[in-house]
Amino acid sequence: MTSIDPKAPGKGAATDLSADGSAAFSVTESERQVGDLQKQELDEKFMREALKLAEAGRFSARPNPVVGCVLVQFDPAAGYSPKGTIVGRGSHLKAGGPHAEVHALAAAGSRARGSTAYVTLEPCAHFGRTPPCCDALIRAGVKRVVIASHDPNPQVSGEGVRRLEAAGVEVTSGVLAADADALNTGFLRTISGGLPLVTLKVAMSLDGRVAMQSGESQWITGEAARSDVQTLRASAGAIITGSGTVLADDPRLSVRAVEGLSAEQIAELPPALIVVVDRRGTSFTPDLNLLKGRSKLWWVVAPDHLAKVQLAVDEAGCTGQVTVMPDLGLCELLVALAKRADVRDVLVEAGSGLSSSFLSEGLVDQLVIYQAPMLLGASARPCFNAEISSLSEAICLGSPKVEQVGADLKISYTLSTS
């Protein structure tokens, strides 16, 4: 029997009369909503902690996604704060190494039992190079799992959630999903059959020039800007450049220094695959800086030059290091990088011709321009040389994010490639 007593604590509260006639007040709808709101706020608070942990694998986890996990206890009877006490933290740092959940469970030990796990990506449910994380959470006695992103990997794709729920674990999904997805854009796209995330980096003068007419370009931007580029390189699974850049600058395209990483940590980072687009078939020589200290490169050449370049590679004794492949177009190159090399994120560091091709074909997701406070004049080489004859054909970039890096400006655009 249920009645409403307007004088009862909490006006409008439903009152259940027990067998002895005493009243037991149940939770009102408004109180329930307040409880749900507090729960949501706590879920978002601890998911933000997990997102911070995920960023620890930004440079080292590829080709795997970055993932963070925190284990939280809420039981005041066990001495924990009802607003939550973190008992374990974990990040996925290296492909083949323990996942974030495993690190967090190890840190928590017996305190993991009865806890809530906050994970930025759906726990895996398959045996890869490591066992399934959902099984580890179940064995540890975790009672609730809060997930940010769904994992579209066909080997997971909801199976982690199903396994957890089948074991009686409460699962909440979609908490700060957009923030988590942004950490793994390239992974989420390629694992679903799409192209890698492409970042085009350009260093130019105030009047939009990238080199003098002679080809001289070192250095247009300052040391701070060149140091900032190291972060872009460290984040990339592949770096694409052109034969003109190779001939003019003989670059290494290596990661020399990244803020927050020691020299030892940089040496242990998974190396980016270097890809040279050599449509003229003229730039390969065995003494290039690109070949030093690297185990593999892709040399992409026009089909007419394939035999000539392959012969040069063979004669130089670089057959095991350099893969010569036909140029079937930039889109097909990106497809090959995703399918054959598990590349999730690509950095393009090239001259105006190749850079313009990527832009014109709508293959650039992020454009990063380092603009130096200098003028190089009309005879210097332009930043882009796309053939545009009317305003209707203009490549529109949208609103930029602008930062000052030393004496230079860093101007970043997010482009729509849909």
Side-chain angles (χ1 to χ4, degrees):
M1 177 180 179
T2 301
S3 63
I4 301 296
D5 180 0
K7 297 180 180 179
K11 185 176 180 180
T15 307
D16 294 326
L17 300 181
S18 60
D20 62 3
S22 61
F25 294 99
S26 63
V27 178
T28 66
E29 181 60 29
S30 61
E31 289 171 330
R32 186 176 294 109
Q33 290 174 354
V34 170
D36 289 344
L37 180 60
Q38 291 174 337
K39 186 176 183 180
Q40 178 182 340
E41 289 174 348
L42 288 172
D43 283 349
E44 291 183 358
K45 171 187 173 181
F46 289 113
M47 188 59 76
R48 288 190 184 93
E49 291 297 318
L51 289 168
K52 292 177 185 175
L53 289 167
E55 291 182 3
R58 175 184 175 187
F59 304 121
S60 58
R62 65 173 184 267
N64 286 1
V66 297
V67 184
C69 175
V70 294
L71 297 177
V72 183
Q73 282 282 5
F74 291 95
D75 185 5
Y80 300 108
S81 168
K83 292 185 178 180
T85 301
I86 294 178
V87 296
R89 292 177 170 87
S91 307
H92 180 50
L93 300 175
K94 185 177 182 180
H99 288 190
E101 299 93 322
V102 174
H103 280 301
L105 289 170
S110 61
R111 295 176 299 172
R113 184 163 297 279
S115 69
T116 296
Y118 292 87
V119 192
T120 58
L121 188 67
E122 179 183 359
C124 63
H126 64 288
F127 281 90
R129 285 187 274 185
T130 58
C133 288
C134 61
D135 292 353
L137 293 168
I138 293 167
R139 284 195 305 271
V142 172
K143 73 174 184 179
R144 181 171 178 248
V145 176
V146 181
I147 299 167
S149 290
H150 165 73
D151 189 346
N153 184 339
Q155 294 179 300
V156 185
S157 193
E159 183 59 27
V161 171
R162 287 189 287 272
R163 294 260 287 268
L164 290 166
E165 290 180 332
V169 179
E170 179 187 349
V171 178
T172 301
S173 299
V175 176
L176 300 184
D179 297 302
D181 287 350
L183 295 177
N184 287 310
T185 303
F187 169 81
L188 295 173
R189 280 170 44 165
T190 54
I191 205 70
S192 302
L195 299 179
L197 182 76
V198 176
T199 298
L200 171 60
K201 165 257 169 182
V202 176
M204 70 179 191
S205 63
L206 185 61
D207 53 347
R209 306 291 167 164
V210 296
M212 302 305 296
Q213 190 175 36
S214 64
E216 179 189 2
S217 63
Q218 297 179 347
W219 298 103
I220 292 175
T221 54
E223 179 60 36
R226 298 199 300 276
S227 295
D228 196 67
V229 172
Q230 302 296 305
T231 301
L232 297 179
R233 289 181 184 171
S235 304
I239 300 174
I240 299 177
T241 191
S243 58
T245 299
V246 171
L247 287 171
D249 298 338
D250 193 18
R252 292 183 182 273
L253 298 180
S254 58
V255 178
R256 298 184 296 276
V258 177
E259 185 177 355
L261 296 184
S262 66
E264 292 75 16
Q265 289 173 315
I266 291 174
E268 293 176 357
L269 294 180
L273 171 64
I274 301 298
V275 180
V276 178
V277 178
D278 183 12
R279 289 167 174 164
R280 291 171 291 188
T282 59
S283 63
F284 180 82
T285 60
D287 58 347
L288 291 171
N289 280 327
L290 287 178
L291 298 174
K292 297 173 182 176
R294 284 197 172 87
S295 60
K296 57 180 180 178
L297 292 89
W298 283 8
W299 214 273
V300 181
V301 299
D304 291 347
H305 302 304
L306 202 60
K308 179 180 68 174
V309 175
Q310 185 65 66
L311 179 61
V313 168
D314 294 344
E315 289 179 343
C318 297
T319 306
Q321 182 184 20
V322 179
T323 300
V324 181
M325 36 197 313
D327 183 1
L328 301 178
L330 296 180
C331 185
E332 287 302 314
L333 173 58
L334 294 176
V335 170
L337 285 170
K339 291 185 176 180
R340 294 177 52 178
D342 280 337
V343 169
R344 316 300 188 188
D345 299 88
V346 170
L347 175 64
V348 179
E349 290 194 64
S352 58
L354 189 56
S355 296
S356 297
S357 294
F358 269 97
L359 276 173
S360 298
E361 294 182 33
L363 298 174
V364 177
D365 298 288
Q366 298 173 343
L367 172 61
V368 179
I369 298 174
Y370 294 92
Q371 187 180 63
M374 66 170 67
L375 302 172
L376 298 185
S379 64
R381 298 182 182 182
C383 181
F384 303 110
N385 62 5
E387 294 293 333
I388 298 175
S389 57
S390 67
L391 281 176
S392 62
E393 298 174 357
I395 300 172
C396 298
L397 305 178
S399 300
K401 174 185 175 183
V402 182
E403 308 165 68
Q404 184 149 356
V405 182
D408 305 314
L409 292 182
K410 179 182 180 181
I411 309 170
S412 303
Y413 296 91
T414 298
L415 282 64
S416 172
T417 55
S418 58

